[in-house]
Amino acid sequence: SSGINAEWPLRPGTQDLLNNLEKFKKGFVNYLQIKLDTDKEELKLWDCGNIQGSELSEKIPQDEPRYHLFNFNHDFEGEKIWKVVFIYSCPGYSVPVKQRMMYSSTKSCFLDSLAKMDIEIAAKREISEGEEVKEVDVYEMIHPQKHASRAHFIKPKAPSKGGRRLIRNNN
């Protein structure tokens, strides 16, 4: 096998994916689901469209790994903004080892290719099930809350050097 990393995204089978990545970048669609064809060793567009943040968890397959790109439209500090989130979903040990390894090893190459296409990723997440990416989770990935009242470690007082110490003699 020639390996995905060397040739992606210039392989012939990826043209549909490349066209849809351009649509995603231009804002015509806000969601892409990408499947890795382990036999042909190439990435393929599996799903694409416009979804709400509340629908994202329903898009995560329970039986196969996928890459997901979601351009999250939301309000932040009074402004409407769009931020791209990358999600790698892998349902765990029900997936064959070869498939898990290929997805894991292809992920950074795919992210590099997105960067070369000027698709800026605001947040990345690896999940095992759809329940891990509710709309509130996506918001917190992009805008982590700063906890104002962090508990600081309170150093215990050193033992005093003065004062009498009682030593009990059992005789």
Side-chain angles (χ1 to χ4, degrees):
S1 79
S2 58
I4 291 170
N5 295 344
E7 296 179 347
W8 199 91
L10 303 175
R11 297 183 86 155
T14 61
Q15 195 56 50
D16 186 40
L17 173 59
L18 289 171
N19 293 341
N20 280 285
L21 281 167
E22 279 299 321
K23 286 181 185 174
F24 180 82
K25 180 179 163 183
K26 292 176 180 171
F28 295 120
V29 293
N30 74 347
Y31 174 76
L32 297 178
Q33 185 178 123
I34 297 102
K35 177 180 179 161
L36 175 59
D37 183 333
T38 53
D39 296 330
K40 294 182 179 177
E41 295 188 356
E42 64 187 19
L43 294 167
K44 295 189 179 268
L45 180 70
W46 190 256
D47 189 8
C48 129
N50 287 299
I51 65 169
Q52 299 296 316
S54 58
E55 298 172 279
L56 184 59
S57 62
E58 299 164 18
K59 293 285 190 178
I60 310 297
Q62 296 176 353
D63 55 347
E64 286 189 73
R66 293 283 197 281
Y67 299 135
H68 309 264
L69 287 171
F70 178 54
N71 200 348
F72 184 45
N73 175 12
H74 61 286
D75 290 317
F76 181 67
E77 296 179 348
E79 287 185 56
K80 273 259 188 235
I81 60 172
W82 295 81
K83 293 285 184 178
V84 177
V85 175
F86 171 82
I87 298 166
Y88 164 41
S89 66
C90 186
Y93 295 104
S94 61
V95 176
V97 173
K98 178 185 176 187
Q99 201 175 15
R100 285 197 319 259
M101 288 178 66
M102 286 183 73
Y103 268 90
S104 292
S105 61
T106 305
K107 183 178 76 167
S108 66
C109 177
F110 180 54
L111 289 169
D112 289 346
S113 298
L114 293 176
K116 288 176 188 165
M117 294 180 74
D118 294 322
I119 296 175
E120 185 181 329
I121 306 295
K124 299 174 202 147
R125 184 120 180 236
E126 290 189 21
I127 63 166
S128 57
E129 58 185 37
E131 290 300 308
E132 296 176 60
V133 285
K134 299 229 178 273
E135 190 167 7
V136 67
D137 300 317
V138 175
Y139 186 89
E140 294 236 339
M141 286 166 57
I142 298 169
H143 308 289
Q145 289 187 355
K146 294 177 178 74
H147 300 285
S149 61
R150 276 205 166 152
H152 293 284
F153 177 72
I154 300 169
K155 187 175 176 181
K157 292 182 179 180
S160 64
K161 297 192 179 185
R164 292 186 71 189
R165 296 182 188 201
L166 297 175
I167 300 173
R168 188 174 235 157
N169 192 350
N170 290 339
N171 290 344

